[in-house]
Amino acid sequence: MARILCIDDEHGIQRMIRSALERDGHVVTEALGCTAGRLLIAAGGYDLALVDRRMPDGDGLELLALLRARMPGCIRVLMTGFLDIEAVMGAINNAEVHRVIEKPFDSQRLRQELRELLDDAHLGTRSLLAHPLGSSVQEDERALLSGVLHSAAFRLDLQPIVTASSGQTLGFEGLMRSGHPRLPLPTQILELAERLHMLRTVGRSVAARAAAWLDRLPPQARLFLNVHPEELDDMSALQSQLEPLIPAAGRVVLEITGACHDRWPEVLGVRLRRLKALGFSLALDDMAAGQSGLVLLAEAEPAFIKVDRSIVQDIQGSNRKRRLVELLCTFAQMTQADVIAGGVETDAEASALRNIGVPYMQGYLFGRPAPEPPAALYA
Ligand code: G
Ligand code: MN
């Protein structure tokens, strides 16, 4: 049990934090703003303080500095939705802040972060309090990732998806790409974001770039976007992340994978229906690559089924692969869905897929992901 002081000017956030932390047996004291916060800090007696960055009556960083002076033993956590890196890093380096939690966060993440902090604090001599910069490696990584995601080096490149019969462009899959020397691969970005619980920041950055593409692409072009399974953990957060895309949701197809089902076996249907209610279409990605693809196929009622490159590769030479894709096409027809064959690299693969009746294709044969697809593809 810890005595936790929570200083934030928003009632809703206070309520969420209180109910999350009380579940772990903590005692939470609320202060609605800086002035109330200062009075409680003066009175003392807290193990950990959660402080909002921007409040109408003052700056949370000042309260954290005050906390450090008055209650050096109290763990100090900054909550901020503004990636004001310089100020935040300054506070970390001055040891005013032990950890930064980026807003918005869900209760699960908050509880986990606080558990880590409180566990560390009880390690005695190795405690965070004895080593105020103990979390600085992680904070450096956070700052690096935020920096990359907010820089022009982070892009959403487009790869065309074409109609098999006419070659016309149905739309594009948006694929994140980074030109940053320290994090050049999308897999590195995702791994780091998973570890630092920063997938939301990645998602928001992708959504902003996707919205910019929707403004530029012709209205009939669809934009396919990959959803990370963990993003379905908190639907309100996902909805706010997708906010900039909602006005054009009818043009956006969200790609989900079997891993979503592994994560949410019982409630996935409800979650996916919520995305559909916002106007988005769904595609089942990596069909045949994962374990739970078939269950998801039954539950998600996707508008598109994307067949993975593992099945498409050399399909002209394999009866079994052809039969499998035929079967998927039949299923798709019966459920008002369309099949997209992904990772098509050769003419032989494309013509075998055409013979089967696959309506849409994507792959290097038709175009690589590019920062600026050829203008002819827009028309
Ligand atoms: O799992 P998902 O379908 O979202 O993966 C898309 C990835 O596949 C992208 O990184 C993209 O660059 C890659 N890709 C797209 N087309 C091809 C292709 O024709 N061949 C191969 N090997 N990879 C491709
Ligand atoms: Mn995909």
Side-chain angles (χ1 to χ4, degrees), residues 168-190:
Q168 273 188 333
T169 309
L170 166 74
F172 299 88
E173 177 169 0
L175 293 160
M176 59 170 92
R177 292 291 183 263
S178 159
H180 196 280
R182 286 190 59 193
L183 287 176
L185 300 175
T187 48
Q188 292 172 321
I189 292 183
L190 286 174

Side-chain angles (χ1 to χ4, degrees), residues 222 249-255 275-276 279-283 302-304:
R222 306 274 207 125
R251 296 164 62 199
V252 177
V253 184
L254 301 175
E255 299 192 1
L275 294 176
K276 287 184 187 176
F280 296 106
S281 309
L282 298 180
F304 296 94

Side-chain angles (χ1 to χ4, degrees), residues 284-348:
L284 185 49
D285 203 3
D286 302 331
M287 190 60 207
Q291 303 275 314
S292 312
L294 280 179
V295 193
L296 196 54
L297 195 56
E299 265 177 31
E301 299 176 15
F304 296 94
I305 301 166
K306 297 189 81 175
V307 181
D308 190 65
R309 159 131 190 96
S310 55
I311 301 294
V312 165
Q313 187 166 21
D314 297 325
I315 190 168
Q316 70 281 4
S318 162
N319 271 328
R320 281 186 174 260
K321 285 183 173 179
R322 277 206 301 273
R323 298 296 290 274
L324 188 56
V325 175
E326 273 167 17
L327 212 66
L328 282 172
C329 284
T330 307
F331 180 85
Q333 256 169 16
M334 286 161 50
T335 58
Q336 284 79 51
D338 280 309
V339 168
I340 301 174
V344 182
E345 290 186 356
T346 67
D347 282 320

Side-chain angles (χ1 to χ4, degrees), residues 151-152 154-158 172 174 203-219 221-223 225 241-249 251-252 371-373 378:
S151 75
F154 184 71
R155 310 187 308 266
L156 189 68
D157 285 6
L158 298 187
F172 299 88
R204 275 198 300 275
S205 198
V206 167
R209 283 158 178 80
W213 273 124
L214 286 167
D215 279 343
R216 291 184 54 202
L217 293 171
R222 306 274 207 125
L223 185 60
L225 298 171
Q241 185 183 310
L242 294 172
E243 201 76 51
L245 304 175
I246 291 176
R251 296 164 62 199
V252 177
E372 189 64 54
Y378 288 26

